[in-house]
Amino acid sequence: MVYCTSCKEDVDLDSNQSNGFACCTQCGMVLDENLFSNDTNFAKAADGSSQAVGTFVGDGGGGRSRGGLSSYRSSESHEQTVHKGLVEIESQAERLHMPGRDNLAPAAHRLYRIAVTKNFTRGRRTAQVAAACLYIACRQDNKAYMLIDFSEILATNV
């Protein structure tokens, strides 16, 4: 029995684990949308072999279709990319002689971390993504830097 906020009473749940939700049996209101199963299920492939069904959910909570050592390598690669972005941001801030870069670099690095998480960095040069993040941090902090300043240190067209 679970308390339903719509019915204002304790009700039985109808859980649909294949779709990942549970709803009230009286009014139909969805009460839980994050049902996960700990059971291992297998399905037969077209060639007759068996494959595990589902998605691996690591400690970070994000689903990955890979498991074991592959996901560890992926996480390690992610952290290397984030660190490379920080080094590039600090280098660019130094080349632009930014006063107060102690405040701008961490702000730009937070933006860079979001860009990595959203796969914005895939297929793009680290220096250019780092410059974009640093430029945004400068604009948010009302620093007088223009895109042309960043294009000069990157030796690229605006």
Side-chain angles (χ1 to χ4, degrees):
M1 301 286 284
V2 175
Y3 184 77
C4 177
T5 56
S6 178
C7 297
K8 307 277 193 248
E9 60 184 75
D10 288 331
V11 295
D12 290 327
L13 283 181
D14 180 23
S15 61
N16 185 337
Q17 289 193 352
S18 63
N19 291 326
F21 66 87
C23 61
C24 173
T25 54
Q26 291 183 8
C27 69
M29 181 175 175
V30 175
L31 299 174
D32 191 3
E33 295 184 64
N34 297 317
L35 293 181
F36 296 103
S37 173
N38 291 333
D39 299 334
T40 304
N41 295 319
F42 294 93
K44 286 204 174 210
D47 62 354
S49 64
S50 294
Q51 296 178 345
V53 177
T55 303
F56 172 73
V57 179
D59 293 338
R64 288 203 175 110
S65 57
R66 293 175 248 135
L69 192 57
S70 301
S71 64
Y72 173 76
R73 285 190 193 129
S74 176
S75 175
E76 187 177 291
S77 173
H78 175 85
E79 289 304 315
Q80 286 176 347
T81 303
V82 169
H83 179 70
K84 194 185 336 180
L86 175 62
V87 170
E88 185 64 35
I89 287 167
E90 289 173 345
S91 171
Q92 289 179 13
E94 188 175 322
R95 284 186 277 166
L96 286 168
H97 308 290
M98 287 186 174
R101 61 179 166 250
D102 295 336
N103 295 333
L104 290 175
H109 186 244
R110 285 190 295 275
L111 292 169
Y112 190 86
R113 186 178 289 274
I114 292 169
V116 170
T117 303
K118 300 291 184 182
N119 288 330
F120 182 77
T121 58
R122 183 162 290 162
R124 293 180 172 87
R125 293 189 176 134
T126 302
Q128 291 175 342
V129 177
C133 294
L134 190 56
Y135 175 72
I136 292 169
C138 287
R139 293 299 302 239
Q140 288 176 336
D141 203 33
N142 294 323
K143 300 291 182 196
Y145 289 94
M146 298 186 296
L147 281 176
I148 193 105
D149 300 324
F150 290 94
S151 71
E152 286 176 4
I153 65 166
L154 294 175
T156 187
N157 192 352
V158 173

